[in-house]
Amino acid sequence: MGTIKKDILIGVLISLFATAAGCFLYVEYFSKFGFNETIQMIEDGDLYGKILSIAAIPNLFVFFIFIKKKQDHKAKGVLLSTIVIALTTLILKFI
């Protein structure tokens, strides 16, 4: 695999990890309720799209770190993953 594709894949994977970490941080620390109660409220209220959009905020920081370090291909991977997350959020909103 070429070095450019490898860097883009690394950016995508880091972005997905940052999104998962953002989701966990929101559910665990920013919610007034317990972890299980918050997950249940997300399921009951069908709030997957809203939580996913909030959870994608750490991607912004990861993107700017890669830009600052001049790792443009990894930043492209983060951007690609963020676009996919945005489209997923859009689809979840209308379904």
Side-chain angles (χ1 to χ4, degrees):
M1 183 170 11
T3 182
I4 294 173
K5 290 181 182 178
K6 183 179 175 185
D7 283 346
I8 291 174
L9 179 65
I10 289 171
V12 168
L13 293 175
I14 289 174
S15 175
L16 292 176
F17 177 75
T19 302
C23 184
F24 176 77
L25 287 173
Y26 174 76
V27 169
E28 185 67 27
Y29 295 109
F30 294 113
S31 176
K32 293 186 260 183
F33 305 101
F35 186 82
N36 292 331
E37 293 170 334
T38 304
I39 296 294
Q40 188 63 38
M41 282 197 270
I42 291 169
E43 289 175 2
D44 292 342
D46 204 25
L47 301 171
Y48 298 115
K50 293 180 182 183
I51 299 300
L52 188 59
S53 62
I54 290 172
I57 292 173
N59 289 343
L60 180 68
F61 300 112
V62 173
F63 177 76
F64 283 119
I65 288 170
F66 284 144
I67 292 293
K68 183 87 170 165
K69 290 185 172 186
K70 301 202 185 305
Q71 296 177 348
D72 294 336
H73 296 297
K74 290 181 183 176
K76 285 180 189 177
V78 172
L79 185 61
L80 177 68
S81 180
T82 304
I83 290 170
V84 170
I85 290 169
L87 290 174
T88 304
T89 303
L90 184 67
I91 291 168
L92 286 174
K93 180 176 176 141
F94 291 114
I95 290 180

Coordinates of all heavy atoms in Angstrom, one line a residue:
M1 N 0.9 -1.2 0.0 CA 0.0 0.0 0.0 C 0.9 1.2 0.0 O 1.9 1.3 0.7 CB -0.9 0.0 1.2 CG -1.8 1.1 1.3 SD -3.2 1.2 2.4 CE -3.0 0.0 3.6
G2 N 0.5 2.2 -0.8 CA 1.3 3.4 -0.9 C 1.3 4.3 0.3 O 0.4 4.1 1.2
T3 N 2.2 5.1 0.5 CA 2.3 5.9 1.7 C 1.2 6.9 1.8 O 0.8 7.2 2.9 CB 3.7 6.6 1.8 OG1 3.8 7.3 3.0 CG2 3.9 7.5 0.6
I4 N 0.7 7.4 0.7 CA -0.4 8.4 0.7 C -1.7 7.7 1.2 O -2.4 8.2 2.1 CB -0.6 9.0 -0.6 CG1 0.6 9.9 -1.0 CG2 -1.9 9.9 -0.6 CD1 0.6 10.5 -2.4
K5 N -2.0 6.5 0.7 CA -3.2 5.8 1.1 C -3.1 5.4 2.5 O -4.0 5.4 3.3 CB -3.3 4.5 0.2 CG -3.7 4.9 -1.2 CD -3.9 3.6 -2.0 CE -4.3 3.9 -3.4 NZ -4.4 2.7 -4.3
K6 N -1.8 5.0 3.0 CA -1.6 4.6 4.4 C -1.9 5.8 5.3 O -2.6 5.6 6.3 CB -0.2 4.1 4.5 CG 0.1 3.6 5.9 CD 1.5 3.1 6.0 CE 1.9 2.7 7.4 NZ 3.3 2.3 7.5
D7 N -1.4 7.0 4.9 CA -1.6 8.2 5.7 C -3.1 8.5 5.8 O -3.6 8.9 6.9 CB -0.8 9.4 5.2 CG 0.6 9.3 5.6 OD1 1.0 8.4 6.4 OD2 1.4 10.0 4.9
I8 N -3.8 8.4 4.7 CA -5.3 8.7 4.7 C -6.0 7.7 5.5 O -6.9 8.1 6.3 CB -5.8 8.7 3.2 CG1 -5.2 9.9 2.5 CG2 -7.3 8.7 3.2 CD1 -5.6 10.0 1.0
L9 N -5.6 6.4 5.5 CA -6.3 5.4 6.3 C -6.0 5.7 7.8 O -6.9 5.5 8.6 CB -5.7 4.0 5.9 CG -6.3 2.9 6.8 CD1 -7.8 2.7 6.5 CD2 -5.6 1.6 6.4
I10 N -4.8 6.1 8.1 CA -4.5 6.4 9.5 C -5.3 7.6 10.0 O -5.9 7.6 11.1 CB -3.0 6.8 9.7 CG1 -2.1 5.5 9.5 CG2 -2.7 7.5 11.0 CD1 -0.6 5.7 9.4
G11 N -5.5 8.6 9.1 CA -6.4 9.8 9.4 C -7.8 9.3 9.7 O -8.5 9.8 10.6
V12 N -8.3 8.4 8.8 CA -9.7 7.9 9.0 C -9.8 7.2 10.3 O -10.8 7.4 11.1 CB -10.1 7.0 7.8 CG1 -11.4 6.3 8.1 CG2 -10.3 7.9 6.6
L13 N -8.9 6.3 10.6 CA -8.9 5.5 11.9 C -8.8 6.4 13.1 O -9.6 6.2 14.1 CB -7.8 4.5 11.9 CG -8.0 3.4 10.8 CD1 -6.8 2.4 10.9 CD2 -9.3 2.6 11.1
I14 N -8.0 7.4 13.1 CA -7.8 8.3 14.2 C -9.1 9.1 14.3 O -9.6 9.4 15.5 CB -6.6 9.2 14.0 CG1 -5.3 8.4 14.2 CG2 -6.6 10.4 15.0 CD1 -4.1 9.1 13.9
S15 N -9.7 9.5 13.2 CA -11.0 10.3 13.3 C -12.1 9.4 13.9 O -12.9 9.9 14.7 CB -11.4 10.7 11.9 OG -12.6 11.3 11.9
L16 N -12.2 8.2 13.5 CA -13.2 7.3 14.1 C -13.0 7.1 15.6 O -13.9 7.0 16.4 CB -13.2 5.9 13.3 CG -13.7 6.0 11.9 CD1 -13.6 4.6 11.2 CD2 -15.1 6.5 11.8
F17 N -11.7 6.9 16.0 CA -11.4 6.8 17.4 C -11.8 8.1 18.1 O -12.3 8.0 19.2 CB -9.9 6.5 17.6 CG -9.5 6.4 19.0 CD1 -9.9 5.3 19.8 CD2 -8.8 7.5 19.6 CE1 -9.5 5.3 21.1 CE2 -8.5 7.4 20.9 CZ -8.8 6.3 21.7
A18 N -11.5 9.3 17.6 CA -11.8 10.5 18.2 C -13.3 10.7 18.3 O -13.8 11.2 19.3 CB -11.2 11.7 17.4
T19 N -14.1 10.2 17.3 CA -15.5 10.3 17.4 C -16.1 9.4 18.5 O -17.0 9.8 19.2 CB -16.2 9.9 16.0 OG1 -15.6 10.8 15.1 CG2 -17.7 10.0 16.1
A20 N -15.5 8.2 18.6 CA -16.0 7.2 19.6 C -15.6 7.8 21.0 O -16.4 7.7 21.9 CB -15.3 5.9 19.4
A21 N -14.4 8.4 21.1 CA -14.1 9.0 22.4 C -15.0 10.1 22.7 O -15.3 10.3 23.9 CB -12.6 9.4 22.3
G22 N -15.3 10.9 21.7 CA -16.2 12.1 22.0 C -17.6 11.6 22.4 O -18.2 12.2 23.3
C23 N -18.1 10.5 21.8 CA -19.4 10.0 22.2 C -19.3 9.5 23.7 O -20.2 9.7 24.5 CB -19.7 8.8 21.3 SG -21.4 8.1 21.6
F24 N -18.2 8.7 24.0 CA -18.1 8.2 25.3 C -18.0 9.4 26.3 O -18.6 9.3 27.4 CB -16.9 7.3 25.4 CG -16.6 6.8 26.8 CD1 -17.4 5.8 27.4 CD2 -15.6 7.4 27.6 CE1 -17.1 5.4 28.7 CE2 -15.4 7.0 28.9 CZ -16.1 5.9 29.4
L25 N -17.2 10.4 26.0 CA -17.0 11.5 27.0 C -18.4 12.2 27.2 O -18.7 12.6 28.3 CB -16.0 12.5 26.4 CG -14.5 12.0 26.5 CD1 -13.6 13.0 25.8 CD2 -14.1 11.9 28.0
Y26 N -19.1 12.4 26.1 CA -20.4 13.1 26.3 C -21.3 12.2 27.2 O -22.0 12.8 28.1 CB -21.1 13.3 24.9 CG -22.5 13.8 25.1 CD1 -22.7 15.2 25.5 CD2 -23.6 13.0 24.9 CE1 -24.0 15.7 25.6 CE2 -24.9 13.5 25.1 CZ -25.0 14.8 25.5 OH -26.3 15.3 25.7
V27 N -21.4 10.9 26.9 CA -22.4 10.1 27.6 C -21.9 9.9 29.1 O -22.7 10.0 30.0 CB -22.5 8.7 26.9 CG1 -23.2 7.7 27.8 CG2 -23.2 8.9 25.6
E28 N -20.6 9.8 29.3 CA -20.1 9.6 30.6 C -20.0 10.8 31.5 O -20.4 10.8 32.7 CB -18.8 8.9 30.5 CG -18.2 8.5 31.9 CD -19.0 7.3 32.5 OE1 -19.6 6.5 31.8 OE2 -18.9 7.3 33.8
Y29 N -19.5 11.9 30.9 CA -19.2 13.1 31.8 C -20.1 14.3 31.6 O -20.3 15.1 32.6 CB -17.8 13.5 31.5 CG -16.8 12.4 31.9 CD1 -16.1 11.7 31.0 CD2 -16.6 12.1 33.3 CE1 -15.2 10.8 31.3 CE2 -15.7 11.1 33.6 CZ -15.0 10.5 32.7 OH -14.1 9.5 33.0
F30 N -20.7 14.5 30.5 CA -21.5 15.7 30.3 C -23.0 15.4 30.5 O -23.8 16.4 30.5 CB -21.3 16.3 28.9 CG -19.9 16.8 28.7 CD1 -19.0 16.2 27.9 CD2 -19.4 17.9 29.5 CE1 -17.7 16.6 27.7 CE2 -18.1 18.3 29.4 CZ -17.3 17.7 28.5
S31 N -23.4 14.2 30.6 CA -24.8 13.9 30.8 C -25.1 13.9 32.3 O -24.2 13.6 33.1 CB -25.2 12.5 30.2 OG -26.5 12.2 30.6
K32 N -26.3 14.4 32.7 CA -26.6 14.5 34.1 C -26.9 13.1 34.7 O -26.9 12.9 35.9 CB -27.9 15.3 34.3 CG -27.7 16.8 34.0 CD -28.9 17.6 34.4 CE -29.7 17.8 33.1 NZ -30.9 18.7 33.4
F33 N -27.2 12.1 33.8 CA -27.6 10.8 34.2 C -26.5 9.8 34.1 O -25.4 10.1 33.6 CB -28.8 10.4 33.4 CG -30.0 11.3 33.4 CD1 -30.2 12.2 32.3 CD2 -30.8 11.4 34.5 CE1 -31.2 13.1 32.3 CE2 -31.8 12.3 34.5 CZ -32.0 13.2 33.4
G34 N -26.7 8.6 34.6 CA -25.7 7.6 34.5 C -25.5 7.1 33.1 O -26.3 7.4 32.2
F35 N -24.5 6.3 32.9 CA -24.1 5.8 31.5 C -25.3 5.0 30.9 O -25.7 5.3 29.8 CB -22.9 5.0 31.6 CG -22.3 4.5 30.3 CD1 -21.6 5.4 29.5 CD2 -22.6 3.3 29.8 CE1 -21.1 5.0 28.3 CE2 -22.1 2.9 28.5 CZ -21.4 3.8 27.8
N36 N -25.8 4.0 31.7 CA -26.8 3.2 31.1 C -28.1 3.9 30.9 O -28.9 3.7 29.9 CB -27.1 2.0 32.1 CG -25.9 1.0 32.1 OD1 -25.2 0.9 31.1 ND2 -25.7 0.3 33.2
E37 N -28.4 4.9 31.8 CA -29.7 5.7 31.7 C -29.6 6.6 30.4 O -30.5 6.7 29.7 CB -29.9 6.5 32.9 CG -30.2 5.8 34.2 CD -30.2 6.7 35.4 OE1 -29.4 7.7 35.4 OE2 -30.8 6.3 36.3
T38 N -28.4 7.1 30.2 CA -28.2 8.0 29.0 C -28.3 7.2 27.7 O -29.0 7.7 26.8 CB -26.8 8.7 29.1 OG1 -26.7 9.4 30.3 CG2 -26.7 9.7 27.9
I39 N -27.7 6.0 27.7 CA -27.8 5.2 26.5 C -29.3 4.8 26.3 O -29.8 4.8 25.1 CB -27.0 3.9 26.7 CG1 -25.5 4.3 26.8 CG2 -27.2 2.9 25.5 CD1 -24.9 4.9 25.5
Q40 N -30.0 4.5 27.3 CA -31.4 4.2 27.2 C -32.2 5.4 26.7 O -33.1 5.2 25.8 CB -32.0 3.7 28.5 CG -33.4 3.1 28.4 CD -33.5 1.9 27.5 OE1 -32.6 1.1 27.6 NE2 -34.5 1.8 26.8
M41 N -31.9 6.6 27.2 CA -32.6 7.8 26.7 C -32.3 8.0 25.2 O -33.2 8.5 24.5 CB -32.2 9.0 27.5 CG -32.9 9.0 28.9 SD -32.9 10.6 29.6 CE -31.4 10.5 30.5
I42 N -31.1 7.8 24.8 CA -30.7 8.0 23.4 C -31.5 7.0 22.5 O -32.0 7.4 21.5 CB -29.2 7.8 23.2 CG1 -28.4 8.9 23.8 CG2 -28.8 7.7 21.7 CD1 -26.9 8.7 23.9
E43 N -31.6 5.8 23.0 CA -32.4 4.8 22.2 C -33.9 5.1 22.2 O -34.5 5.0 21.1 CB -32.2 3.4 22.8 CG -30.8 2.8 22.6 CD -30.7 1.5 23.3 OE1 -31.6 1.0 23.9 OE2 -29.5 0.9 23.2
D44 N -34.4 5.5 23.3 CA -35.9 5.8 23.4 C -36.2 7.1 22.6 O -37.3 7.1 22.0 CB -36.3 6.0 24.9 CG -36.2 4.7 25.7 OD1 -36.2 3.6 25.0 OD2 -36.2 4.8 26.9
G45 N -35.4 8.1 22.7 CA -35.6 9.3 22.0 C -35.2 9.4 20.5 O -35.3 10.4 19.9
D46 N -34.6 8.3 20.1 CA -34.0 8.2 18.7 C -33.1 9.4 18.4 O -33.3 10.1 17.5 CB -35.2 8.1 17.7 CG -34.8 7.4 16.4 OD1 -33.8 6.6 16.5 OD2 -35.4 7.7 15.4
L47 N -32.1 9.6 19.3 CA -31.2 10.7 19.3 C -29.9 10.4 18.7 O -28.9 11.1 19.0 CB -31.1 11.3 20.7 CG -32.3 11.8 21.3 CD1 -32.1 12.1 22.8 CD2 -33.0 12.9 20.6
Y48 N -29.8 9.3 17.9 CA -28.5 8.9 17.4 C -27.8 10.0 16.6 O -26.6 10.2 16.7 CB -28.6 7.6 16.6 CG -29.2 6.4 17.3 CD1 -30.4 5.9 17.0 CD2 -28.5 5.9 18.3 CE1 -30.9 4.9 17.6 CE2 -29.0 4.8 19.0 CZ -30.2 4.3 18.7 OH -30.7 3.2 19.3
G49 N -28.5 10.6 15.7 CA -27.9 11.7 14.9 C -27.3 12.8 15.7 O -26.2 13.3 15.4
K50 N -28.1 13.3 16.7 CA -27.6 14.4 17.5 C -26.4 14.0 18.3 O -25.4 14.8 18.4 CB -28.7 14.8 18.5 CG -29.9 15.4 17.7 CD -31.0 15.9 18.6 CE -32.1 16.4 17.8 NZ -33.2 16.9 18.6
I51 N -26.4 12.8 18.9 CA -25.2 12.4 19.7 C -24.0 12.2 18.7 O -22.9 12.6 19.1 CB -25.5 11.1 20.4 CG1 -26.6 11.3 21.4 CG2 -24.3 10.5 21.1 CD1 -26.4 12.3 22.4
L52 N -24.2 11.7 17.5 CA -23.1 11.5 16.6 C -22.5 12.8 16.2 O -21.3 13.0 16.0 CB -23.6 10.7 15.4 CG -22.6 10.3 14.4 CD1 -21.6 9.3 15.1 CD2 -23.3 9.5 13.3
S53 N -23.4 13.8 16.0 CA -22.9 15.1 15.6 C -22.1 15.8 16.7 O -21.0 16.5 16.5 CB -24.0 16.0 15.1 OG -24.9 16.3 16.1
I54 N -22.5 15.6 17.9 CA -21.8 16.2 19.1 C -20.5 15.4 19.2 O -19.4 16.0 19.6 CB -22.6 16.1 20.4 CG1 -23.7 17.1 20.3 CG2 -21.8 16.3 21.6 CD1 -24.8 17.0 21.4
A55 N -20.5 14.1 19.0 CA -19.3 13.3 19.2 C -18.2 13.6 18.1 O -17.1 13.2 18.4 CB -19.7 11.8 19.2
A56 N -18.6 14.2 17.0 CA -17.6 14.4 16.0 C -16.8 15.7 16.2 O -15.9 16.0 15.5 CB -18.4 14.5 14.6
I57 N -17.1 16.4 17.3 CA -16.4 17.7 17.5 C -14.9 17.5 17.7 O -14.1 18.3 17.3 CB -17.1 18.4 18.7 CG1 -18.4 18.9 18.3 CG2 -16.2 19.6 19.2 CD1 -19.2 19.5 19.4
P58 N -14.5 16.4 18.4 CA -13.0 16.2 18.5 C -12.3 16.0 17.2 O -11.1 16.3 17.2 CB -12.9 14.9 19.4 CG -14.1 14.8 20.2 CD -15.2 15.4 19.3
N59 N -13.0 15.7 16.2 CA -12.4 15.6 14.8 C -11.8 17.0 14.4 O -10.8 17.1 13.7 CB -13.3 15.1 13.8 CG -13.7 13.7 13.9 OD1 -13.0 13.0 14.6 ND2 -14.7 13.3 13.3
L60 N -12.5 18.1 14.8 CA -12.0 19.4 14.5 C -10.6 19.6 15.1 O -9.7 20.1 14.4 CB -13.0 20.4 15.1 CG -12.7 21.9 14.9 CD1 -12.8 22.2 13.4 CD2 -13.6 22.7 15.7
F61 N -10.4 19.2 16.3 CA -9.1 19.4 17.0 C -8.0 18.5 16.3 O -6.9 18.9 16.0 CB -9.2 19.1 18.5 CG -10.1 20.0 19.2 CD1 -11.3 19.5 19.7 CD2 -9.9 21.3 19.3 CE1 -12.2 20.3 20.3 CE2 -10.8 22.2 19.9 CZ -11.9 21.6 20.4
V62 N -8.4 17.3 16.0 CA -7.5 16.3 15.3 C -7.1 16.9 13.9 O -5.9 16.9 13.6 CB -8.1 14.9 15.2 CG1 -7.2 14.0 14.4 CG2 -8.3 14.3 16.6
F63 N -8.1 17.4 13.2 CA -7.8 18.0 11.9 C -6.8 19.1 12.0 O -5.8 19.2 11.2 CB -9.1 18.5 11.3 CG -9.0 19.1 9.9 CD1 -8.7 18.4 8.8 CD2 -9.0 20.5 9.8 CE1 -8.6 19.0 7.6 CE2 -8.9 21.1 8.6 CZ -8.7 20.3 7.5
F64 N -7.0 20.0 12.9 CA -6.1 21.2 13.0 C -4.7 20.8 13.5 O -3.7 21.4 13.1 CB -6.7 22.3 13.9 CG -7.7 23.1 13.2 CD1 -9.0 23.1 13.6 CD2 -7.4 23.8 12.0 CE1 -10.0 23.9 12.9 CE2 -8.3 24.5 11.3 CZ -9.6 24.6 11.8
I65 N -4.6 19.7 14.3 CA -3.3 19.2 14.7 C -2.5 18.7 13.5 O -1.3 19.0 13.4 CB -3.5 18.2 15.8 CG1 -3.9 18.8 17.1 CG2 -2.1 17.4 16.0 CD1 -4.3 17.8 18.2
F66 N -3.2 17.9 12.7 CA -2.6 17.4 11.5 C -2.2 18.5 10.5 O -1.1 18.5 9.9 CB -3.4 16.4 10.8 CG -3.5 15.0 11.5 CD1 -4.6 14.3 11.5 CD2 -2.4 14.5 12.1 CE1 -4.7 13.1 12.1 CE2 -2.4 13.3 12.7 CZ -3.6 12.6 12.7
I67 N -3.0 19.5 10.4 CA -2.7 20.7 9.5 C -1.4 21.4 10.1 O -0.5 21.8 9.4 CB -3.9 21.6 9.4 CG1 -5.0 20.9 8.6 CG2 -3.5 22.9 8.7 CD1 -4.6 20.7 7.1
K68 N -1.4 21.6 11.4 CA -0.3 22.3 12.0 C 1.0 21.6 11.9 O 2.0 22.2 11.7 CB -0.6 22.5 13.5 CG 0.4 23.3 14.3 CD 0.1 24.7 14.2 CE 1.0 25.5 15.2 NZ 1.0 26.8 15.0
K69 N 0.9 20.2 11.9 CA 2.1 19.4 11.8 C 2.5 19.2 10.3 O 3.4 18.4 10.0 CB 2.0 18.1 12.5 CG 1.9 18.2 14.0 CD 1.9 16.8 14.6 CE 2.1 16.8 16.1 NZ 2.1 15.5 16.6
K70 N 1.7 19.8 9.4 CA 1.9 19.6 8.0 C 1.8 18.1 7.5 O 2.5 17.7 6.7 CB 3.2 20.2 7.5 CG 3.4 21.7 7.8 CD 4.4 22.3 7.0 CE 4.6 23.8 7.4 NZ 3.5 24.6 7.4
Q71 N 0.8 17.4 8.1 CA 0.5 16.0 7.7 C -0.8 16.1 7.0 O -1.8 15.7 7.5 CB 0.4 15.2 9.0 CG 1.8 15.0 9.7 CD 1.7 14.2 10.9 OE1 0.6 13.9 11.4 NE2 2.8 13.9 11.5
D72 N -0.7 16.6 5.8 CA -1.9 16.9 5.0 C -2.7 15.7 4.6 O -3.9 15.7 4.6 CB -1.6 17.7 3.7 CG -1.0 19.1 4.0 OD1 -1.3 19.6 5.1 OD2 -0.3 19.6 3.2
H73 N -2.1 14.6 4.3 CA -2.8 13.4 3.9 C -3.6 12.8 5.1 O -4.7 12.3 4.9 CB -1.8 12.3 3.4 CG -1.1 12.8 2.1 ND1 -1.8 13.1 1.0 CD2 0.2 13.1 1.8 CE1 -1.0 13.5 0.0 NE2 0.2 13.5 0.5
K74 N -3.0 12.8 6.3 CA -3.8 12.4 7.5 C -5.0 13.3 7.7 O -6.0 12.9 8.1 CB -2.9 12.3 8.7 CG -1.9 11.2 8.6 CD -1.0 11.2 9.8 CE 0.1 10.1 9.7 NZ 1.0 10.0 10.8
A75 N -4.8 14.6 7.5 CA -5.9 15.6 7.6 C -7.0 15.3 6.6 O -8.1 15.4 6.9 CB -5.3 17.0 7.5
K76 N -6.6 14.8 5.4 CA -7.6 14.5 4.4 C -8.4 13.3 4.9 O -9.6 13.2 4.6 CB -6.9 14.1 3.1 CG -6.4 15.2 2.3 CD -5.7 14.8 1.0 CE -5.0 15.9 0.3 NZ -4.3 15.4 -0.9
G77 N -7.7 12.3 5.5 CA -8.4 11.2 6.1 C -9.5 11.6 7.1 O -10.6 11.1 7.2
V78 N -9.0 12.5 8.0 CA -10.0 13.0 9.0 C -11.1 13.7 8.4 O -12.3 13.6 8.8 CB -9.2 14.0 10.0 CG1 -10.2 14.7 11.0 CG2 -8.2 13.2 10.8
L79 N -10.9 14.5 7.4 CA -11.9 15.3 6.7 C -12.9 14.3 6.0 O -14.1 14.5 6.0 CB -11.3 16.2 5.7 CG -12.3 17.1 4.9 CD1 -13.0 18.0 5.9 CD2 -11.5 18.0 3.9
L80 N -12.3 13.3 5.3 CA -13.2 12.3 4.7 C -14.1 11.6 5.7 O -15.3 11.4 5.5 CB -12.3 11.2 4.0 CG -13.0 10.1 3.3 CD1 -13.8 10.6 2.1 CD2 -12.0 9.0 2.9
S81 N -13.5 11.2 6.8 CA -14.3 10.5 7.8 C -15.4 11.4 8.4 O -16.5 11.0 8.7 CB -13.4 10.0 9.0 OG -14.1 9.4 10.0
T82 N -15.0 12.7 8.6 CA -16.0 13.7 9.1 C -17.1 13.9 8.1 O -18.3 14.0 8.5 CB -15.3 15.0 9.4 OG1 -14.2 14.7 10.3 CG2 -16.2 16.0 10.1
I83 N -16.9 13.9 6.8 CA -17.9 14.0 5.8 C -18.8 12.8 5.9 O -20.1 13.0 5.8 CB -17.3 14.2 4.4 CG1 -16.7 15.6 4.3 CG2 -18.3 14.0 3.3 CD1 -15.8 15.8 3.1
V84 N -18.3 11.6 6.0 CA -19.1 10.4 6.1 C -20.0 10.5 7.4 O -21.1 10.1 7.4 CB -18.2 9.2 6.1 CG1 -19.0 7.9 6.5 CG2 -17.6 9.0 4.8
I85 N -19.4 11.0 8.5 CA -20.2 11.1 9.7 C -21.3 12.1 9.5 O -22.4 11.9 10.0 CB -19.3 11.5 10.9 CG1 -18.4 10.3 11.3 CG2 -20.1 11.9 12.1 CD1 -17.3 10.6 12.2
A86 N -21.0 13.2 8.9 CA -22.1 14.2 8.6 C -23.2 13.7 7.7 O -24.4 13.9 8.0 CB -21.4 15.5 7.9
L87 N -22.8 12.9 6.7 CA -23.8 12.3 5.9 C -24.7 11.3 6.6 O -25.9 11.2 6.5 CB -23.2 11.7 4.6 CG -22.6 12.6 3.6 CD1 -21.9 11.8 2.5 CD2 -23.7 13.5 3.0
T88 N -24.0 10.5 7.5 CA -24.7 9.6 8.4 C -25.7 10.3 9.3 O -26.8 9.8 9.5 CB -23.7 8.7 9.2 OG1 -22.8 8.1 8.3 CG2 -24.4 7.7 10.0
T89 N -25.2 11.4 9.8 CA -26.1 12.2 10.7 C -27.3 12.7 9.9 O -28.4 12.7 10.4 CB -25.3 13.4 11.3 OG1 -24.2 12.9 12.0 CG2 -26.2 14.2 12.2
L90 N -27.1 13.2 8.7 CA -28.2 13.6 7.9 C -29.2 12.5 7.6 O -30.4 12.7 7.6 CB -27.6 14.2 6.6 CG -28.6 14.8 5.6 CD1 -29.2 16.1 6.2 CD2 -27.9 15.1 4.3
I91 N -28.7 11.4 7.3 CA -29.6 10.2 7.0 C -30.4 9.8 8.2 O -31.6 9.6 8.2 CB -28.7 9.0 6.4 CG1 -28.2 9.4 5.0 CG2 -29.6 7.8 6.4 CD1 -27.2 8.4 4.5
L92 N -29.7 9.8 9.4 CA -30.4 9.4 10.6 C -31.4 10.5 11.0 O -32.4 10.1 11.7 CB -29.4 9.3 11.8 CG -28.5 8.1 11.7 CD1 -27.4 8.1 12.8 CD2 -29.3 6.8 11.9
K93 N -31.2 11.7 10.6 CA -32.2 12.7 11.0 C -33.5 12.5 10.2 O -34.6 12.8 10.7 CB -31.7 14.1 10.6 CG -32.6 15.2 10.9 CD -32.0 16.6 10.7 CE -33.1 17.6 11.0 NZ -32.6 18.8 11.7
F94 N -33.4 12.1 9.0 CA -34.7 11.9 8.1 C -35.2 10.5 8.1 O -36.3 10.3 7.5 CB -34.4 12.4 6.7 CG -34.1 13.9 6.7 CD1 -32.9 14.4 6.3 CD2 -35.1 14.8 7.0 CE1 -32.7 15.8 6.3 CE2 -34.9 16.1 6.9 CZ -33.7 16.6 6.6
I95 N -34.6 9.6 8.8 CA -35.2 8.2 8.8 C -35.8 8.0 10.2 O -35.5 8.4 11.2 CB -34.0 7.2 8.6 CG1 -33.6 7.3 7.2 CG2 -34.5 5.8 8.9 CD1 -32.5 6.3 6.8

